[in-house]
Amino acid sequence: MSDIKNALTRINYWFRKNHPAKIASLASGLSPLEIDNLFSGLSFKVSEEVREIYQWSNGYLINKCADDWIFDYMYLLSLESGVKEAQTWVEEHEEIALMYKYAGKPILPICMSDIEFLAVVATDDEQTTSPVIHISEIVEISLRYTNLTAMMLTIAESYETGGLFIGFKGYIEKDEKKYAAAYRKYNSGITNLALERFLKRFPEDSSWQTVELLHKDLYMSNSYGIEIPIISLKSKVVNTLLNLLQDEKYDSGFSVVLVLEELRAVDALIKGLQHPSKWVRSRAAFALGKIKAFEAVEFISQLLEDPDPMVQEAVKEALEMFKNQK
């Protein structure tokens, strides 16, 4: 039995034992031929994991679900609904179509709640897994799970350990500490994945959106306590971002500093203190205080005489954070 099938079996068992009504309305799975026929409507390929989940269950039609959420505040879309939604995104006006992509690749929605989605990213032929991304109601896109298998294993273990549970009103609730433990166990490589995608994507698209996407991905993984990645990979990204800061034509240095903050790149942030932009200087100072970079106190203090009042205020806030952290 594959890992994803094992996770789905565990989820099914937990619900049938504890809340059978919530899972009773899930549709039965599709045959491989039915899945192939529906996939023929897609202009891109998806991972083998998607086949496995739809052989387990075909979820709900987009207009037939109630509140029977089992996948962390969301319900499983039927493959028909997912394919139709993906087709709409691809066929929309070019600007809209670009919004529903992750790092330039199209996506297939798997789960939905109101107008939020979890979706899998299109794969190359040889890939058996691909990242799961979250799409907010205002179409902000960020990484959520390393892949669909990691998502299902996280959810299965969270139900079993109390990280996820059904509250008195019948809705899914979360014990953040227990859920984070399960998340770290199965998604430890998600930060590396975000950095690798950035380095691969950046030569093609060096816009602020690419940097902002990396910031969102790192913010999410840091919120769950995922460790900072291997030094060589981090160094490549930091050097790329420093080159951006030094490029006079690049006007989104603030976004760069946010990423450096998430990476705890102290030396790079210290260099940001001397940047011509007041926005970069002020955020670099604030970031160094926030990440407890005591070795930077001397450099930050030099900006107490900065000609811009906003920078001076950020420096004071940073120095105050150091006092509170002692």
Side-chain angles (χ1 to χ4, degrees):
M1 181 184 294
S2 68
D3 286 341
I4 192 168
K5 286 181 178 176
N6 174 263
L8 292 167
T9 298
R10 289 161 59 189
I11 292 169
N12 183 75
Y13 175 79
W14 188 89
F15 271 94
R16 292 201 178 280
K17 180 180 178 182
N18 297 285
H19 297 277
K22 279 194 171 292
I23 204 166
S25 55
L26 267 178
S28 57
L30 299 173
S31 70
L33 180 59
E34 289 173 318
I35 293 172
D36 284 340
N37 288 336
L38 288 166
F39 278 168
S40 67
L42 289 176
S43 59
F44 54 90
K45 297 182 182 296
V46 292
S47 66
E48 187 64 28
E49 301 167 299
V50 181
R51 290 181 174 275
E52 294 195 70
I53 195 171
Y54 282 110
Q55 287 179 33
W56 174 73
S57 171
N58 194 31
Y60 302 91
L61 292 172
I62 200 166
N63 59 346
K64 294 288 187 181
C65 74
D67 293 327
D68 295 327
W69 302 341
I70 59 175
F71 296 126
D72 191 4
Y73 310 112
M74 296 195 179
Y75 65 89
L76 179 65
L77 276 169
S78 71
L79 188 52
E80 298 97 315
S81 297
V83 168
K84 184 180 292 185
E85 195 74 20
Q87 289 171 331
T88 300
W89 295 346
V90 170
E91 294 166 2
E92 288 282 354
H93 184 272
E94 184 179 358
E95 280 190 24
I96 301 298
L98 286 172
M99 292 170 70
Y100 286 96
K101 287 187 176 182
Y102 180 78
K105 287 190 174 183
I107 53 181
L108 172 71
I110 296 292
C111 295
M112 180 180 180
S113 172
D114 298 327
I115 53 175
E116 292 186 83
F117 296 92
L118 291 177
V120 291
V121 181
T123 65
D124 299 323
D125 289 340
E126 69 273 12
Q127 288 181 274
T128 56
T129 66
S130 71
V132 176
I133 62 168
H134 175 259
I135 307 168
S136 73
E137 59 185 21
I138 56 174
V139 200
E140 287 187 336
I141 292 179
S142 60
L143 270 175
R144 179 57 60 91
Y145 299 96
T146 305
N147 50 53
L148 202 52
T149 298
M151 171 182 165
M152 295 306 170
L153 286 168
T154 300
I155 291 171
E157 186 149 324
S158 293
Y159 280 123
E160 293 165 352
T161 61
L164 294 173
F165 57 94
I166 307 300
F168 292 116
K169 294 183 178 180
Y171 297 112
I172 295 174
E173 296 185 23
K174 184 181 290 185
D175 180 311
E176 295 290 349
K177 186 175 181 180
K178 292 178 180 178
Y179 179 83
Y183 187 91
R184 287 192 297 272
K185 181 176 179 180
Y186 296 110
N187 297 274
S188 59
I190 199 165
T191 303
N192 283 351
L193 178 61
L195 295 183
E196 288 166 358
R197 283 185 166 272
F198 171 77
L199 290 172
K200 184 178 180 180
R201 183 70 182 164
F202 188 80
E204 304 171 17
D205 183 2
S206 58
S207 67
W208 69 268
Q209 289 96 329
T210 300
V211 177
E212 181 60 23
L213 180 61
L214 178 59
H215 171 241
K216 291 176 183 175
D217 290 346
L218 293 175
Y219 180 83
M220 188 279 304
S221 61
N222 282 339
S223 69
Y224 285 115
I226 302 294
E227 292 185 3
I228 299 298
I230 53 177
I231 294 176
S232 60
L233 185 57
K234 174 182 173 180
S235 296
K236 289 179 182 178
V237 173
V238 169
N239 288 335
T240 299
L241 295 172
L242 278 175
N243 288 335
L244 271 184
L245 278 182
Q246 294 165 4
D247 184 353
E248 294 180 0
K249 296 180 181 179
Y250 190 79
D251 60 358
S252 295
F254 188 83
S255 296
V256 172
V257 173
L258 291 178
V259 176
L260 294 174
E261 177 186 321
E262 295 297 337
L263 288 172
R264 313 296 197 266
V266 175
D267 290 343
L269 287 169
I270 289 175
K271 291 181 180 179
L273 295 173
Q274 302 304 316
H275 196 273
S277 168
K278 64 180 181 181
W279 301 102
V280 172
R281 296 198 305 278
S282 59
R283 185 63 201 193
F286 185 86
L288 287 164
K290 185 177 177 182
I291 65 176
K292 307 177 184 179
F294 284 95
E295 63 267 44
V297 170
E298 179 182 351
F299 299 98
I300 297 171
S301 298
Q302 293 172 5
L303 290 185
L304 283 169
E305 303 299 325
D306 191 276
D308 192 277
M310 184 180 74
V311 177
Q312 294 177 21
E313 188 61 32
V315 167
K316 291 175 183 177
E317 287 186 50
L319 295 175
E320 192 63 32
M321 283 190 277
F322 284 118
K323 291 179 182 178
N324 294 335
Q325 291 162 3
K326 287 183 178 180

